[in-house]
Each structure stands twice: as structure tokens, then as C-alpha cells.
């Protein structure tokens, strides 16, 4: 194990005695998160090509208002401001977006890669005053404990989308028939990865057992705590895998809808 010599991080931005490639991880985080934010923003404003047959892009689910057959309450609502371009994704994406933005793991990652605060452990940062998350605006990150409950509901909704993605309209009869396409698998893998990410949340771990003094005395809590802890130990892995999968699922549905690729029916 490499021992990093102590350094006064106030000695100057980027100053360090580390000899490893400490900049590599923050750079990769910066590139991947930037790519995701740019793509998700672009996709959210498209208001097109977000469905293909029974498939619905996870960026647009649930489609509360919209013009596709997946819409719950019909097309664009009357209260939508005229100066804002309408898209179903703009109504729902803020919730999973803020859940991810306030995630404890991502906070540690983007504080380093976007704010250089600090760029990495034992590397000088561009500020001399540390304010932490106990004052405005970063104290708002505590809202993560509320977004977690919303995210759990989204997992249920996306799981329903996978079920709906197994029913294809028979062109001959117009009846829905059971089937599995590559798109079904793409949506299913996505919801599994999102569930592993969400159910490994530090907040959930606290709720199901971490708040108890002797969790072992409550078997249900003890079991739930062990399950969440197992996922929590891989929270970083699921954070990145689910980020890539949700973007890939949208891209898959989009490319099918645009006719760029053909969805293969497996069953
Ligand atoms: Fe990462 Fe809650 S801490 S999702």
C-alpha cells in the first residue's frame, strides 16, 4: 500500500508530493459526467423518438403528459408556460436527476473533478477556506434523504415499463402478444442496475437498520441491513453502471424509433 506523505493542502493549487497519476480518476469522472449531462439535456428537450412499440425511454418515464400511447394524462397540459419548450422528460427528469446529484458518492466525485475541492486526496486546492456542507448552498444536499423515496417509486415505475415492453401489438390482429425483444432486455438490465444503485443508498441503509443501536435484535431489519449493506459496498460500481445503462436505454429506444437500428425479437 502506497504511503502518501502529509501535505499542507493550502500550499497551492495542484501542489502535492504524490507521484501517482492522481489526476486520472477526477479527469475520467469529469469526462463521463459531462457526457451524461450533455446527452441527457439534449435528449430531454427532443420530445421525439422516445418510444418504439411497447418500449419507453427511461428518461421519459413515467410519461405523465405527452403525445405517445404511453401518456397517462394526455398531451401538453394547459398550464405549461408558453415560453418553455414542452417535453414530457422535463416534468420527471428533475427527480432522478436530483437524487443522483445529491448522492453521497457522486458528491465526493464531482467535488473533486468539477470543483477541485480538493482535486484529490493530499493535493492542494484552489481555496483556503473550507465551508463544508453545513451552510448554504451545500446544506441543500441533505435533501437526498427525501429524493431517495422518490427514486424508489421510480424503480417500481421502470419495472412496470419492462413488463409493458413484453407486449407487442400483432400487426395482423391488432392484439397485444407476449414477446421479448432486445429492447426488453435493455430496459430490464437498466432497471436492475438502477435498483442496485438505489437500494444501496446510504440513506436507505440508515433507515432499514443503521439508525438502530442493536440491529441484530430485529431480524427483519438485520436482514434488510445486510442486503442494503451488500449493495452499498458496491455503490460506486452501480452508480456508474446505472448511469451508463440509463443513457444506453434511451439511446437504444431512440435509434430504433429513428429507424437507425432494428429491434430483434428474441422470443
Ligand atoms: Fe448514493 Fe444515496 S448515497 S444514492
Amino acid at each position: 500500500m502506497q504511503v502518501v506523505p502529509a501535505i499542507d493542502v493550502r500550499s497551492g493549487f495542484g501542489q502535492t508530493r504524490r507521484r501517482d497519476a492522481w489526476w486520472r480518476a477526477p479527469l475520467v469522472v469529469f469526462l463521463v459526467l459531462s457526457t451524461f449531462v450533455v446527452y441527457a439535456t439534449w435528449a430531454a428537450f427532443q420530445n421525439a423518438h422516445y418510444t418504439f412499440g411497447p418500449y419507453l425511454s427511461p428518461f421519459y418515464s413515467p410519461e405523465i403528459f405527452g403525445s405517445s400511447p404511453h401518456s397517462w394524462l394526455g398531451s401538453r397540459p394547459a398550464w405549461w408556460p408558453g415560453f418553455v419548450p414542452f417535453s414530457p422528460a422535463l416534468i420527471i427528469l428533475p427527480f432522478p436527476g436530483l437524487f443522483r446529484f445529491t448522492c453521497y458518492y457522486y458528491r465526493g466525485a464531482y467535488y473533486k473533478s468539477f470543483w477541485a475541492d480538493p482535486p484529490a486526496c493530499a493535493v492542494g486546492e484552489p481555496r483556503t477556506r473550507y465551508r463544508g456542507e453545513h451552510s448554504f448552498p451545500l446544506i441543500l444536499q441533505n435533501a437526498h434523504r427525501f429524493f431517495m423515496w422518490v427514486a424508489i417509486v421510480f424503480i417500481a415505475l421502470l419495472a412496470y415499463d419492462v413488463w409493458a415492453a413484453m407486449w407487442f401489438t400483432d400487426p395482423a390482429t391488432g392484439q397485444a402478444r407476449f414477446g421479448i425483444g432486445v429492447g426488453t432486455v435493455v430496459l430490464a438490465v437498466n432497471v436492475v442496475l438502477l435498483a442496485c444503485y438505489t437500494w444501496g443508498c446510504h440513506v436507505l441503509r440508515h433507515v432499514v437498520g443503521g439508525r438502530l443501536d442493536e440491529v441484530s435484535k430485529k431480524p427483519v431489519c438485520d436482514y434488510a441491513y445486510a442486503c442494503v449493506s451488500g449493495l452499498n459496498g458496491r455503490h460506486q460500481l452501480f452508480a456508474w453502471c446505472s448511469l451508463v445503462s440509463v443513457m444506453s436505454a434511451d439511446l437504444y429506444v431512440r435509434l430504433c424509433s429513428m429507424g437507425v437500428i432494428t429491434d430483434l425479437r428474441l422470443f
Side-chain angles (χ1 to χ4, degrees), residues 151-163:
I152 288 175
V153 173
F154 269 74
I155 296 300
L157 294 168
L158 292 173
Y160 173 78
D161 286 347
V162 175
W163 168 252

mmCIF file with all atom_site columns, all heavy atoms in Angstrom, residues 151-163:
data_model
loop_
_atom_site.group_PDB
_atom_site.id
_atom_site.type_symbol
_atom_site.label_atom_id
_atom_site.label_alt_id
_atom_site.label_comp_id
_atom_site.label_asym_id
_atom_site.label_entity_id
_atom_site.label_seq_id
_atom_site.pdbx_PDB_ins_code
_atom_site.Cartn_x
_atom_site.Cartn_y
_atom_site.Cartn_z
_atom_site.occupancy
_atom_site.B_iso_or_equiv
_atom_site.pdbx_formal_charge
_atom_site.auth_seq_id
_atom_site.auth_comp_id
_atom_site.auth_asym_id
_atom_site.auth_atom_id
_atom_site.pdbx_PDB_model_num
ATOM 1   N N   . ALA A 1 151 ? -37.005 8.130   -5.657  1.00 0.00 ? 151 ALA A N   1
ATOM 2   C CA  . ALA A 1 151 ? -36.253 7.226   -6.543  1.00 0.00 ? 151 ALA A CA  1
ATOM 3   C C   . ALA A 1 151 ? -36.763 5.792   -6.416  1.00 0.00 ? 151 ALA A C   1
ATOM 4   O O   . ALA A 1 151 ? -36.799 5.049   -7.409  1.00 0.00 ? 151 ALA A O   1
ATOM 5   C CB  . ALA A 1 151 ? -34.766 7.300   -6.204  1.00 0.00 ? 151 ALA A CB  1
ATOM 6   N N   . ILE A 1 152 ? -37.161 5.407   -5.210  1.00 0.00 ? 152 ILE A N   1
ATOM 7   C CA  . ILE A 1 152 ? -37.688 4.049   -5.023  1.00 0.00 ? 152 ILE A CA  1
ATOM 8   C C   . ILE A 1 152 ? -38.986 3.871   -5.814  1.00 0.00 ? 152 ILE A C   1
ATOM 9   O O   . ILE A 1 152 ? -39.224 2.821   -6.427  1.00 0.00 ? 152 ILE A O   1
ATOM 10  C CB  . ILE A 1 152 ? -37.886 3.763   -3.520  1.00 0.00 ? 152 ILE A CB  1
ATOM 11  C CG1 . ILE A 1 152 ? -36.512 3.586   -2.862  1.00 0.00 ? 152 ILE A CG1 1
ATOM 12  C CG2 . ILE A 1 152 ? -38.752 2.529   -3.294  1.00 0.00 ? 152 ILE A CG2 1
ATOM 13  C CD1 . ILE A 1 152 ? -36.554 3.420   -1.366  1.00 0.00 ? 152 ILE A CD1 1
ATOM 14  N N   . VAL A 1 153 ? -39.809 4.907   -5.829  1.00 0.00 ? 153 VAL A N   1
ATOM 15  C CA  . VAL A 1 153 ? -41.052 4.844   -6.621  1.00 0.00 ? 153 VAL A CA  1
ATOM 16  C C   . VAL A 1 153 ? -40.708 4.709   -8.107  1.00 0.00 ? 153 VAL A C   1
ATOM 17  O O   . VAL A 1 153 ? -41.350 3.952   -8.846  1.00 0.00 ? 153 VAL A O   1
ATOM 18  C CB  . VAL A 1 153 ? -41.912 6.102   -6.365  1.00 0.00 ? 153 VAL A CB  1
ATOM 19  C CG1 . VAL A 1 153 ? -43.117 6.132   -7.299  1.00 0.00 ? 153 VAL A CG1 1
ATOM 20  C CG2 . VAL A 1 153 ? -42.360 6.151   -4.913  1.00 0.00 ? 153 VAL A CG2 1
ATOM 21  N N   . PHE A 1 154 ? -39.665 5.429   -8.541  1.00 0.00 ? 154 PHE A N   1
ATOM 22  C CA  . PHE A 1 154 ? -39.273 5.363   -9.955  1.00 0.00 ? 154 PHE A CA  1
ATOM 23  C C   . PHE A 1 154 ? -38.829 3.950   -10.338 1.00 0.00 ? 154 PHE A C   1
ATOM 24  O O   . PHE A 1 154 ? -39.053 3.519   -11.461 1.00 0.00 ? 154 PHE A O   1
ATOM 25  C CB  . PHE A 1 154 ? -38.150 6.374   -10.247 1.00 0.00 ? 154 PHE A CB  1
ATOM 26  C CG  . PHE A 1 154 ? -38.661 7.707   -10.695 1.00 0.00 ? 154 PHE A CG  1
ATOM 27  C CD1 . PHE A 1 154 ? -39.242 8.585   -9.797  1.00 0.00 ? 154 PHE A CD1 1
ATOM 28  C CD2 . PHE A 1 154 ? -38.591 8.092   -12.025 1.00 0.00 ? 154 PHE A CD2 1
ATOM 29  C CE1 . PHE A 1 154 ? -39.732 9.815   -10.204 1.00 0.00 ? 154 PHE A CE1 1
ATOM 30  C CE2 . PHE A 1 154 ? -39.076 9.318   -12.445 1.00 0.00 ? 154 PHE A CE2 1
ATOM 31  C CZ  . PHE A 1 154 ? -39.655 10.182  -11.531 1.00 0.00 ? 154 PHE A CZ  1
ATOM 32  N N   . ILE A 1 155 ? -38.204 3.244   -9.413  1.00 0.00 ? 155 ILE A N   1
ATOM 33  C CA  . ILE A 1 155 ? -37.790 1.865   -9.715  1.00 0.00 ? 155 ILE A CA  1
ATOM 34  C C   . ILE A 1 155 ? -39.026 1.025   -10.019 1.00 0.00 ? 155 ILE A C   1
ATOM 35  O O   . ILE A 1 155 ? -39.040 0.222   -10.972 1.00 0.00 ? 155 ILE A O   1
ATOM 36  C CB  . ILE A 1 155 ? -37.003 1.262   -8.527  1.00 0.00 ? 155 ILE A CB  1
ATOM 37  C CG1 . ILE A 1 155 ? -35.698 2.027   -8.307  1.00 0.00 ? 155 ILE A CG1 1
ATOM 38  C CG2 . ILE A 1 155 ? -36.702 -0.214  -8.800  1.00 0.00 ? 155 ILE A CG2 1
ATOM 39  C CD1 . ILE A 1 155 ? -34.751 2.029   -9.462  1.00 0.00 ? 155 ILE A CD1 1
ATOM 40  N N   . ALA A 1 156 ? -40.077 1.203   -9.225  1.00 0.00 ? 156 ALA A N   1
ATOM 41  C CA  . ALA A 1 156 ? -41.318 0.457   -9.462  1.00 0.00 ? 156 ALA A CA  1
ATOM 42  C C   . ALA A 1 156 ? -41.915 0.822   -10.824 1.00 0.00 ? 156 ALA A C   1
ATOM 43  O O   . ALA A 1 156 ? -42.376 -0.056  -11.578 1.00 0.00 ? 156 ALA A O   1
ATOM 44  C CB  . ALA A 1 156 ? -42.317 0.739   -8.347  1.00 0.00 ? 156 ALA A CB  1
ATOM 45  N N   . LEU A 1 157 ? -41.883 2.104   -11.163 1.00 0.00 ? 157 LEU A N   1
ATOM 46  C CA  . LEU A 1 157 ? -42.446 2.537   -12.445 1.00 0.00 ? 157 LEU A CA  1
ATOM 47  C C   . LEU A 1 157 ? -41.638 1.985   -13.622 1.00 0.00 ? 157 LEU A C   1
ATOM 48  O O   . LEU A 1 157 ? -42.202 1.551   -14.635 1.00 0.00 ? 157 LEU A O   1
ATOM 49  C CB  . LEU A 1 157 ? -42.478 4.070   -12.495 1.00 0.00 ? 157 LEU A CB  1
ATOM 50  C CG  . LEU A 1 157 ? -43.436 4.737   -11.498 1.00 0.00 ? 157 LEU A CG  1
ATOM 51  C CD1 . LEU A 1 157 ? -43.172 6.239   -11.418 1.00 0.00 ? 157 LEU A CD1 1
ATOM 52  C CD2 . LEU A 1 157 ? -44.884 4.472   -11.896 1.00 0.00 ? 157 LEU A CD2 1
ATOM 53  N N   . LEU A 1 158 ? -40.328 1.985   -13.484 1.00 0.00 ? 158 LEU A N   1
ATOM 54  C CA  . LEU A 1 158 ? -39.484 1.468   -14.568 1.00 0.00 ? 158 LEU A CA  1
ATOM 55  C C   . LEU A 1 158 ? -39.612 -0.050  -14.688 1.00 0.00 ? 158 LEU A C   1
ATOM 56  O O   . LEU A 1 158 ? -39.507 -0.611  -15.786 1.00 0.00 ? 158 LEU A O   1
ATOM 57  C CB  . LEU A 1 158 ? -38.025 1.869   -14.339 1.00 0.00 ? 158 LEU A CB  1
ATOM 58  C CG  . LEU A 1 158 ? -37.738 3.364   -14.482 1.00 0.00 ? 158 LEU A CG  1
ATOM 59  C CD1 . LEU A 1 158 ? -36.306 3.690   -14.080 1.00 0.00 ? 158 LEU A CD1 1
ATOM 60  C CD2 . LEU A 1 158 ? -37.989 3.832   -15.914 1.00 0.00 ? 158 LEU A CD2 1
ATOM 61  N N   . ALA A 1 159 ? -39.850 -0.709  -13.549 1.00 0.00 ? 159 ALA A N   1
ATOM 62  C CA  . ALA A 1 159 ? -40.080 -2.163  -13.602 1.00 0.00 ? 159 ALA A CA  1
ATOM 63  C C   . ALA A 1 159 ? -41.385 -2.448  -14.351 1.00 0.00 ? 159 ALA A C   1
ATOM 64  O O   . ALA A 1 159 ? -41.466 -3.411  -15.135 1.00 0.00 ? 159 ALA A O   1
ATOM 65  C CB  . ALA A 1 159 ? -40.140 -2.733  -12.187 1.00 0.00 ? 159 ALA A CB  1
ATOM 66  N N   . TYR A 1 160 ? -42.375 -1.605  -14.141 1.00 0.00 ? 160 TYR A N   1
ATOM 67  C CA  . TYR A 1 160 ? -43.623 -1.769  -14.894 1.00 0.00 ? 160 TYR A CA  1
ATOM 68  C C   . TYR A 1 160 ? -43.368 -1.564  -16.393 1.00 0.00 ? 160 TYR A C   1
ATOM 69  O O   . TYR A 1 160 ? -43.949 -2.279  -17.228 1.00 0.00 ? 160 TYR A O   1
ATOM 70  C CB  . TYR A 1 160 ? -44.691 -0.783  -14.403 1.00 0.00 ? 160 TYR A CB  1
ATOM 71  C CG  . TYR A 1 160 ? -45.920 -0.818  -15.274 1.00 0.00 ? 160 TYR A CG  1
ATOM 72  C CD1 . TYR A 1 160 ? -46.854 -1.851  -15.146 1.00 0.00 ? 160 TYR A CD1 1
ATOM 73  C CD2 . TYR A 1 160 ? -46.121 0.140   -16.269 1.00 0.00 ? 160 TYR A CD2 1
ATOM 74  C CE1 . TYR A 1 160 ? -47.952 -1.925  -15.986 1.00 0.00 ? 160 TYR A CE1 1
ATOM 75  C CE2 . TYR A 1 160 ? -47.221 0.069   -17.111 1.00 0.00 ? 160 TYR A CE2 1
ATOM 76  C CZ  . TYR A 1 160 ? -48.129 -0.958  -16.961 1.00 0.00 ? 160 TYR A CZ  1
ATOM 77  O OH  . TYR A 1 160 ? -49.206 -1.034  -17.803 1.00 0.00 ? 160 TYR A OH  1
ATOM 78  N N   . ASP A 1 161 ? -42.505 -0.633  -16.731 1.00 0.00 ? 161 ASP A N   1
ATOM 79  C CA  . ASP A 1 161 ? -42.183 -0.400  -18.150 1.00 0.00 ? 161 ASP A CA  1
ATOM 80  C C   . ASP A 1 161 ? -41.582 -1.654  -18.792 1.00 0.00 ? 161 ASP A C   1
ATOM 81  O O   . ASP A 1 161 ? -41.804 -1.910  -19.981 1.00 0.00 ? 161 ASP A O   1
ATOM 82  C CB  . ASP A 1 161 ? -41.182 0.760   -18.291 1.00 0.00 ? 161 ASP A CB  1
ATOM 83  C CG  . ASP A 1 161 ? -41.840 2.105   -18.043 1.00 0.00 ? 161 ASP A CG  1
ATOM 84  O OD1 . ASP A 1 161 ? -43.080 2.170   -18.019 1.00 0.00 ? 161 ASP A OD1 1
ATOM 85  O OD2 . ASP A 1 161 ? -41.095 3.088   -17.873 1.00 0.00 ? 161 ASP A OD2 1
ATOM 86  N N   . VAL A 1 162 ? -40.804 -2.399  -18.002 1.00 0.00 ? 162 VAL A N   1
ATOM 87  C CA  . VAL A 1 162 ? -40.223 -3.640  -18.535 1.00 0.00 ? 162 VAL A CA  1
ATOM 88  C C   . VAL A 1 162 ? -41.337 -4.651  -18.817 1.00 0.00 ? 162 VAL A C   1
ATOM 89  O O   . VAL A 1 162 ? -41.342 -5.322  -19.856 1.00 0.00 ? 162 VAL A O   1
ATOM 90  C CB  . VAL A 1 162 ? -39.190 -4.224  -17.542 1.00 0.00 ? 162 VAL A CB  1
ATOM 91  C CG1 . VAL A 1 162 ? -38.681 -5.573  -18.032 1.00 0.00 ? 162 VAL A CG1 1
ATOM 92  C CG2 . VAL A 1 162 ? -38.029 -3.258  -17.357 1.00 0.00 ? 162 VAL A CG2 1
ATOM 93  N N   . TRP A 1 163 ? -42.280 -4.719  -17.904 1.00 0.00 ? 163 TRP A N   1
ATOM 94  C CA  . TRP A 1 163 ? -43.426 -5.605  -18.119 1.00 0.00 ? 163 TRP A CA  1
ATOM 95  C C   . TRP A 1 163 ? -44.195 -5.174  -19.381 1.00 0.00 ? 163 TRP A C   1
ATOM 96  O O   . TRP A 1 163 ? -44.541 -5.997  -20.228 1.00 0.00 ? 163 TRP A O   1
ATOM 97  C CB  . TRP A 1 163 ? -44.339 -5.579  -16.895 1.00 0.00 ? 163 TRP A CB  1
ATOM 98  C CG  . TRP A 1 163 ? -45.668 -6.216  -17.094 1.00 0.00 ? 163 TRP A CG  1
ATOM 99  C CD1 . TRP A 1 163 ? -46.873 -5.576  -17.202 1.00 0.00 ? 163 TRP A CD1 1
ATOM 100 C CD2 . TRP A 1 163 ? -45.951 -7.615  -17.252 1.00 0.00 ? 163 TRP A CD2 1
ATOM 101 N NE1 . TRP A 1 163 ? -47.885 -6.482  -17.398 1.00 0.00 ? 163 TRP A NE1 1
ATOM 102 C CE2 . TRP A 1 163 ? -47.352 -7.747  -17.440 1.00 0.00 ? 163 TRP A CE2 1
ATOM 103 C CE3 . TRP A 1 163 ? -45.163 -8.763  -17.255 1.00 0.00 ? 163 TRP A CE3 1
ATOM 104 C CZ2 . TRP A 1 163 ? -47.961 -8.987  -17.621 1.00 0.00 ? 163 TRP A CZ2 1
ATOM 105 C CZ3 . TRP A 1 163 ? -45.779 -9.992  -17.437 1.00 0.00 ? 163 TRP A CZ3 1
ATOM 106 C CH2 . TRP A 1 163 ? -47.160 -10.100 -17.616 1.00 0.00 ? 163 TRP A CH2 1
#
